[in-house]
Amino acid sequence: MRNRKPSVIVVAMTTNNATLAHDREPESTLFGESLQVFHRAADLIGLHPRIRLELEQPDYEHIFYVTTQVGDRLVPLEAAEVANFADLPSSSLPTNAFTPLFDGKLGVKQDALRGATIHARDGVLRLASGVYRVTPGGHIRLKAYRVQHNQARGPYKGGLRFHKDVSLDLFNVLAAEMTWKTAIADVPFGGGKGGIRMEPRAFTKDELEAISLRYMYKLKQLVGPNLDIPAPDVGTNAEVMAWLLRQYSDGERERHAMRGVVTGKDVRIGGSKGRVRATGQGVAYCIEEWYARRNKPLKGARFIVQGYGNVGSCAAEILTEMGAVCVAVQDADGSIADPNGINAAKLSDYVHQNANNLKRSVHGYADAQAISSSDFWEVDCDICIPAALGGSITGSVAERLKAKLVAEGANGPTTVEADLVLEKRGIELIPDIIANAGGVTVSYYEWIQNKRMEQWTEAEVNSRLERAIKNNYRVILDIADDTARKGEEHDSRGFTVGKKLNTRAAAMVLALRRIEAHYLLEGFSQ
Ligand code: NAD
């Protein structure tokens, strides 16, 4: 829990409203904890008290519900029960009649019985893949969120997460992170984040489409290319963005030219080339710059990556292309290692292009050794890239890491305690708000292309991204070194604070200085 800053309390009291200070008292939450760095940086730069108040709570917290209908499920029978149905003849259903789901269940399509030969007893039937009990579908209700944290620099911008462990508290953290990140990336957006509490792998594609459409139906009046612009995050992708775009524009004539309501779309419907790989690409550019500053070769550097979804797999592939060697990977369902190097592109095919890999996991990958999830963190390496969920590098993980550099592909992967351990052990850090800013930077390029109805080449996108991310990272490193200068392409004058800082604090100083400029120059609406 963070300590309250006296300056904030004084300001609250000067409003002559005793309850105001009490209203703002944060509970012991993830959000409260995540603001520690914000408050430290705000103190360092003497942030205007009213700007501090504007930023320490989100502008809007939307909570709503999404209802939908899910189809019947075929649930695998417990082994002990299967014997009771030994004499049950096999049924035959067309193969496209059901969708295999990550938990072994089969989602039954509406017209599954057409062309089927069914032998059922007590609601049980036998298929070539096993013996199943039919459980009826029905209507369900899912809790949904959109937090709009701050729009001083432009429309709210941030991903949509479909995951079972989301909460308002978490979205408050992630939306605020987007406010800092869009400022660091220097794109004309504010911060937002949202999503649905659900396990997307437990639904068929048709059901996911219905859920996504219903989510946008509820959100339609609150988002737009100049209002709030969602993008993919954990559990969502270009397919989900396409459904959201359709729901936003369907039947609304003037909205057909508003493709920029979501970014991360397929390139065939207004997405930007390079967007799929952009976040991983940005992680790789930051690491490349870190090595260049030290005159060390990235070629041959060994890295481990946690999370092999969009960010982790793209970062691994790109770093491998740059000559680094991937020696271990962990995801939600397994950990693998190979000291001689894992072929990242081949692993991506195994995880993402293999229809039988329903968990989309590295588990079972034949060309590496399976290791325990705890051993993963102790694999000998130079770089550690957390690219899964928040909070994975705890104090005890940080004590065991062999890496010399942690590059945060994920949002908030390092706990406050772990930050202290890393600093004590001299392990350097590229903080999330710059390391994974490649995604939102290219989202901005997509948004501009949509506004201009243009399509840039992948080479153009990547060269803009490389310049943008490396220059913003250089400004952060200068703030950390307390060296204000105008380099060939970057200018850190006006950002340093008169003493050396760690990179996380330096990144936050840059974000706050850029946000502060809007309030100081534009003032406050009354
Ligand atoms: P994704 O859904 O594509 O992949 C998530 C990965 O994390 C999967 O491999 C999953 O197995 C793994 N994972 C989940 N729980 C885990 C656990 N407990 N232990 C180990 N691994 C676990 O998501 P993504 O888009 O790659 O996002 C990953 C992270 O990067 C998130 O923190 C996200 O907020 C952040 N991020 C994403 C983008 C983007 O453009 N997609 C941009 C910026 C930041």
Side-chain angles (χ1 to χ4, degrees):
M1 193 163 49
R2 72 177 174 80
N3 296 324
R4 293 211 50 85
K5 297 289 172 290
S7 55
V8 179
I9 292 171
V10 170
V11 173
M13 286 176 174
T14 56
T15 63
N16 246 350
N17 183 344
T19 60
L20 198 57
H22 176 72
D23 285 350
R24 291 187 296 101
E25 203 70 49
E27 296 155 24
S28 173
T29 57
L30 270 180
F31 184 48
E33 202 167 273
S34 78
L35 287 182
Q36 284 186 12
V37 183
F38 159 75
H39 281 290
R40 266 202 300 277
D43 286 347
L44 277 169
I45 67 168
L47 187 69
H48 187 296
R50 186 159 173 189
I51 303 174
R52 191 193 286 249
L53 290 178
E54 289 276 339
L55 291 169
E56 74 173 8
Q57 294 294 348
D59 287 349
Y60 303 98
E61 297 170 332
H62 304 287
I63 296 186
F64 50 103
Y65 291 89
V66 169
T67 58
T68 193
Q69 183 171 6
V70 294
D72 294 348
R73 295 283 186 266
L74 297 181
V75 182
L77 227 54
E78 296 288 335
E81 271 190 284
V82 171
N84 301 334
F85 295 91
D87 58 336
L88 186 66
S90 279
S91 297
S92 105
L93 273 79
T95 45
N96 62 358
F98 44 79
T99 306
L101 302 171
F102 87 114
D103 49 8
K105 296 177 185 170
L106 304 176
V108 183
K109 295 242 175 85
Q110 242 174 3
D111 49 4
L113 296 187
R114 270 186 223 150
T117 307
I118 308 269
H119 303 279
R121 191 167 78 226
D122 299 336
V124 171
L125 53 84
R126 176 187 298 281
L127 297 176
S129 54
V131 183
Y132 298 87
R133 184 175 300 285
V134 184
T135 61
H139 297 101
I140 59 163
R141 185 176 66 181
L142 302 166
K143 193 163 186 175
Y145 306 82
R146 184 72 187 170
V147 172
Q148 296 169 323
H149 177 258
N150 186 272
Q151 58 175 350
R153 291 177 45 88
Y156 304 106
K157 180 89 190 81
L160 284 188
R161 183 173 291 196
F162 289 180
H163 192 267
K164 61 183 173 35
D165 295 328
V166 299
S167 63
L168 180 63
D169 189 25
L170 177 68
F171 284 127
N172 277 335
V173 175
L174 297 173
E177 283 235 350
M178 287 308 297
T179 301
W180 323 138
K181 199 180 301 179
T182 48
I184 285 174
D186 213 3
V187 294
F189 297 131
K193 202 88 176 189
I196 307 182
R197 192 187 293 168
M198 63 185 284
E199 168 50 83
R201 296 174 302 175
F203 293 90
T204 67
K205 191 172 161 179
D206 291 346
E207 291 162 357
L208 273 180
E209 180 177 353
I211 291 166
S212 305
L213 291 176
R214 195 73 188 153
Y215 179 83
M216 183 50 112
Y217 174 82
K218 290 281 182 89
L219 208 61
K220 238 170 159 170
Q221 305 309 324
L222 299 169
V223 297
N226 298 322
L227 276 180
D228 184 0
I229 307 145
D233 189 68
V234 176
T236 59
N237 53 21
E239 199 166 45
V240 175
M241 295 306 117
W243 294 326
L244 298 180
L245 173 64
R246 179 176 107 218
Q247 178 63 290
Y248 181 75
S249 54
D250 216 5
E252 308 268 357
R253 289 184 182 192
E254 79 283 6
R255 289 190 175 184
H256 285 280
M258 296 186 180
R259 289 181 189 168
V261 61
V262 284
T263 56
K265 301 180 289 291
D266 188 299
V267 287
R268 291 165 295 183
I269 56 167
S272 175
K273 291 188 175 146
R275 173 61 184 89
V276 171
R277 295 184 109 200
T279 308
Q281 186 82 58
V283 173
Y285 284 146
C286 285
I287 293 173
E288 193 174 48
E289 179 64 16
W290 189 89
Y291 272 82
R293 296 263 294 208
R294 278 154 193 80
N295 280 323
K296 281 179 160 187
L298 175 56
K299 195 164 188 303
R302 290 151 308 146
F303 67 91
I304 62 173
V305 56
Q306 187 204 35
Y308 214 70
N310 173 279
V311 180
S313 64
C314 292
E317 284 181 39
I318 294 162
L319 283 168
T320 307
E321 288 159 18
M322 289 173 169
V325 183
C326 178
V327 287
V329 181
Q330 172 176 96
D331 67 17
D333 301 288
S335 305
I336 56 172
D338 186 343
N340 299 316
I342 295 170
N343 183 325
K346 211 168 143 197
L347 181 62
S348 293
D349 280 350
Y350 174 78
V351 174
H352 298 293
Q353 307 299 336
N354 173 359
N356 295 322
N357 188 346
L358 296 173
K359 292 187 171 170
R360 282 166 239 140
S361 171
V362 300
H363 176 78
Y365 181 64
D367 290 338
Q369 299 89 51
I371 56 169
S372 76
S373 59
S374 154
D375 286 350
F376 166 79
W377 296 111
E378 290 178 26
V379 168
D380 195 26
C381 64
D382 303 297
I383 310 161
C384 167
I385 306 169
L389 302 180
S392 57
I393 302 189
T394 58
S396 86
V397 165
E399 291 285 4
R400 286 147 53 211
L401 278 184
K402 299 280 192 297
K404 297 163 195 71
L405 172 68
V406 171
E408 295 185 324
N411 284 313
T414 312
T415 64
V416 173
E417 187 195 352
D419 256 356
L420 297 174
V421 176
L422 294 182
E423 200 156 352
K424 182 191 79 191
R425 294 190 58 211
I427 298 175
E428 296 210 26
L429 182 89
I430 308 179
D432 49 4
I433 46 180
I434 178 68
N436 69 31
V440 79
T441 304
V442 176
S443 276
Y444 166 57
Y445 301 158
E446 178 173 337
W447 184 79
I448 300 179
Q449 290 171 74
N450 290 165
K451 286 213 169 231
R452 298 184 186 164
M453 293 289 178
E454 287 177 4
Q455 178 125 95
W456 303 351
T457 64
E458 183 155 359
E460 179 169 4
V461 168
N462 282 341
S463 95
R464 282 177 186 251
L465 172 64
E466 179 172 5
R467 285 181 61 195
I469 209 138
K470 286 187 175 174
N471 283 329
N472 285 315
Y473 183 39
R474 285 171 192 142
V475 177
I476 291 170
L477 291 173
D478 285 355
I479 298 171
D481 283 349
D482 194 27
T483 313
R485 67 197 170 107
K486 185 165 171 12
E488 230 168 81
E489 292 213 50
H490 81 286
D491 189 351
S492 54
R493 293 171 302 173
F495 292 114
T496 50
V497 296
K499 63 175 185 174
K500 288 186 192 286
L501 300 175
N502 65 37
T503 42
R504 200 185 294 289
M508 185 60 86
V509 163
L510 176 61
L512 294 188
R513 289 260 196 237
R514 284 184 174 160
I515 296 164
E516 171 188 55
H518 284 263
Y519 284 109
L520 295 183
L521 297 173
E522 296 167 23
F524 299 91
S525 305
Q526 301 298 333

Short mmCIF file of all heavy atoms in Angstrom, two decimals, residues 180-202:
data_model
loop_
_atom_site.label_atom_id
_atom_site.label_comp_id
_atom_site.label_asym_id
_atom_site.label_seq_id
_atom_site.Cartn_x
_atom_site.Cartn_y
_atom_site.Cartn_z
N TRP A 180 0.01 6.57 -19.20
CA TRP A 180 1.46 6.81 -19.15
C TRP A 180 2.09 6.40 -20.49
O TRP A 180 2.96 7.07 -21.04
CB TRP A 180 2.15 6.04 -18.01
CG TRP A 180 1.41 5.91 -16.70
CD1 TRP A 180 1.34 4.79 -15.91
CD2 TRP A 180 0.68 6.93 -15.99
NE1 TRP A 180 0.59 5.04 -14.77
CE2 TRP A 180 0.17 6.34 -14.80
CE3 TRP A 180 0.37 8.26 -16.24
CZ2 TRP A 180 -0.61 7.04 -13.86
CZ3 TRP A 180 -0.41 8.96 -15.32
CH2 TRP A 180 -0.88 8.36 -14.15
N LYS A 181 1.64 5.25 -21.01
CA LYS A 181 2.29 4.68 -22.20
C LYS A 181 2.05 5.53 -23.45
O LYS A 181 2.95 5.75 -24.24
CB LYS A 181 1.74 3.27 -22.42
CG LYS A 181 2.62 2.42 -23.30
CD LYS A 181 2.04 1.04 -23.50
CE LYS A 181 1.84 0.32 -22.17
NZ LYS A 181 1.25 -1.00 -22.35
N THR A 182 0.83 6.03 -23.61
CA THR A 182 0.56 6.85 -24.80
C THR A 182 1.36 8.15 -24.72
O THR A 182 1.77 8.69 -25.75
CB THR A 182 -0.95 7.16 -24.94
OG1 THR A 182 -1.44 7.63 -23.68
CG2 THR A 182 -1.73 5.93 -25.36
N ALA A 183 1.58 8.64 -23.50
CA ALA A 183 2.39 9.86 -23.35
C ALA A 183 3.85 9.55 -23.69
O ALA A 183 4.51 10.32 -24.39
CB ALA A 183 2.27 10.40 -21.93
N ILE A 184 4.34 8.42 -23.20
CA ILE A 184 5.74 8.06 -23.48
C ILE A 184 5.94 7.81 -24.98
O ILE A 184 6.94 8.21 -25.57
CB ILE A 184 6.14 6.81 -22.66
CG1 ILE A 184 6.35 7.24 -21.22
CG2 ILE A 184 7.39 6.15 -23.23
CD1 ILE A 184 6.60 6.11 -20.29
N ALA A 185 4.95 7.16 -25.60
CA ALA A 185 5.05 6.90 -27.04
C ALA A 185 4.83 8.20 -27.83
O ALA A 185 5.06 8.25 -29.02
CB ALA A 185 4.02 5.85 -27.46
N ASP A 186 4.36 9.21 -27.13
CA ASP A 186 4.08 10.52 -27.72
C ASP A 186 3.07 10.43 -28.85
O ASP A 186 3.22 11.05 -29.90
CB ASP A 186 5.39 11.17 -28.22
CG ASP A 186 5.34 12.69 -28.08
OD1 ASP A 186 4.32 13.20 -27.55
OD2 ASP A 186 6.29 13.37 -28.51
N VAL A 187 2.02 9.64 -28.62
CA VAL A 187 0.91 9.55 -29.57
C VAL A 187 -0.27 10.32 -28.97
O VAL A 187 -0.38 10.42 -27.75
CB VAL A 187 0.54 8.08 -29.89
CG1 VAL A 187 1.68 7.40 -30.62
CG2 VAL A 187 0.19 7.29 -28.62
N PRO A 188 -1.15 10.87 -29.81
CA PRO A 188 -2.18 11.79 -29.30
C PRO A 188 -3.39 11.09 -28.70
O PRO A 188 -4.52 11.27 -29.13
CB PRO A 188 -2.57 12.58 -30.56
CG PRO A 188 -2.38 11.59 -31.65
CD PRO A 188 -1.24 10.71 -31.27
N PHE A 189 -3.12 10.26 -27.70
CA PHE A 189 -4.19 9.51 -27.04
C PHE A 189 -4.06 9.60 -25.54
O PHE A 189 -2.98 9.91 -25.01
CB PHE A 189 -4.12 8.02 -27.41
CG PHE A 189 -4.30 7.71 -28.88
CD1 PHE A 189 -3.40 6.88 -29.53
CD2 PHE A 189 -5.37 8.22 -29.59
CE1 PHE A 189 -3.56 6.57 -30.88
CE2 PHE A 189 -5.55 7.92 -30.94
CZ PHE A 189 -4.64 7.10 -31.59
N GLY A 190 -5.16 9.26 -24.85
CA GLY A 190 -5.14 9.08 -23.41
C GLY A 190 -5.11 7.59 -23.10
O GLY A 190 -4.62 6.79 -23.91
N GLY A 191 -5.66 7.22 -21.93
CA GLY A 191 -5.56 5.82 -21.53
C GLY A 191 -6.91 5.21 -21.19
O GLY A 191 -7.74 5.83 -20.53
N GLY A 192 -7.13 3.98 -21.64
CA GLY A 192 -8.33 3.23 -21.31
C GLY A 192 -8.03 1.74 -21.32
O GLY A 192 -6.96 1.33 -21.78
N LYS A 193 -8.90 0.95 -20.82
CA LYS A 193 -8.73 -0.51 -20.88
C LYS A 193 -10.06 -1.14 -20.51
O LYS A 193 -10.85 -0.56 -19.78
CB LYS A 193 -7.67 -0.96 -19.86
CG LYS A 193 -7.04 -2.29 -20.19
CD LYS A 193 -5.85 -2.11 -21.09
CE LYS A 193 -5.14 -3.42 -21.37
NZ LYS A 193 -3.87 -3.20 -22.06
N GLY A 194 -10.30 -2.33 -21.00
CA GLY A 194 -11.57 -2.98 -20.65
C GLY A 194 -11.56 -4.43 -21.05
O GLY A 194 -10.53 -4.95 -21.49
N GLY A 195 -12.72 -5.04 -20.93
CA GLY A 195 -12.80 -6.44 -21.31
C GLY A 195 -13.94 -7.15 -20.62
O GLY A 195 -14.85 -6.53 -20.08
N ILE A 196 -13.85 -8.47 -20.63
CA ILE A 196 -14.92 -9.30 -20.09
C ILE A 196 -14.31 -10.38 -19.21
O ILE A 196 -13.26 -10.95 -19.55
CB ILE A 196 -15.73 -9.98 -21.23
CG1 ILE A 196 -16.22 -8.93 -22.24
CG2 ILE A 196 -16.89 -10.77 -20.66
CD1 ILE A 196 -17.06 -9.50 -23.37
N ARG A 197 -14.98 -10.64 -18.08
CA ARG A 197 -14.51 -11.73 -17.22
C ARG A 197 -15.02 -13.05 -17.79
O ARG A 197 -16.20 -13.39 -17.66
CB ARG A 197 -15.01 -11.55 -15.78
CG ARG A 197 -14.29 -12.49 -14.82
CD ARG A 197 -14.89 -12.44 -13.45
NE ARG A 197 -14.67 -11.16 -12.81
CZ ARG A 197 -15.30 -10.80 -11.69
NH1 ARG A 197 -16.19 -11.59 -11.14
NH2 ARG A 197 -15.04 -9.62 -11.16
N MET A 198 -14.14 -13.79 -18.43
CA MET A 198 -14.53 -15.04 -19.09
C MET A 198 -13.27 -15.81 -19.50
O MET A 198 -12.18 -15.24 -19.56
CB MET A 198 -15.33 -14.74 -20.36
CG MET A 198 -14.51 -13.97 -21.40
SD MET A 198 -15.42 -13.45 -22.86
CE MET A 198 -15.55 -14.95 -23.76
N GLU A 199 -13.42 -17.09 -19.79
CA GLU A 199 -12.34 -17.89 -20.36
C GLU A 199 -12.65 -18.08 -21.84
O GLU A 199 -13.50 -18.90 -22.20
CB GLU A 199 -12.27 -19.24 -19.63
CG GLU A 199 -11.40 -20.29 -20.26
CD GLU A 199 -9.99 -19.81 -20.61
OE1 GLU A 199 -9.12 -19.80 -19.73
OE2 GLU A 199 -9.78 -19.44 -21.80
N PRO A 200 -12.03 -17.30 -22.74
CA PRO A 200 -12.46 -17.35 -24.14
C PRO A 200 -12.28 -18.71 -24.79
O PRO A 200 -13.02 -19.05 -25.71
CB PRO A 200 -11.57 -16.30 -24.83
CG PRO A 200 -10.49 -15.97 -23.87
CD PRO A 200 -10.96 -16.31 -22.51
N ARG A 201 -11.33 -19.50 -24.28
CA ARG A 201 -11.10 -20.81 -24.92
C ARG A 201 -12.22 -21.80 -24.60
O ARG A 201 -12.26 -22.90 -25.14
CB ARG A 201 -9.75 -21.38 -24.47
CG ARG A 201 -8.56 -20.54 -24.91
CD ARG A 201 -7.26 -21.05 -24.33
NE ARG A 201 -7.28 -21.07 -22.87
CZ ARG A 201 -6.31 -21.55 -22.09
NH1 ARG A 201 -5.23 -22.05 -22.65
NH2 ARG A 201 -6.41 -21.53 -20.78
N ALA A 202 -13.14 -21.41 -23.71
CA ALA A 202 -14.25 -22.30 -23.35
C ALA A 202 -15.47 -22.06 -24.23
O ALA A 202 -16.52 -22.65 -24.00
CB ALA A 202 -14.62 -22.10 -21.88
#
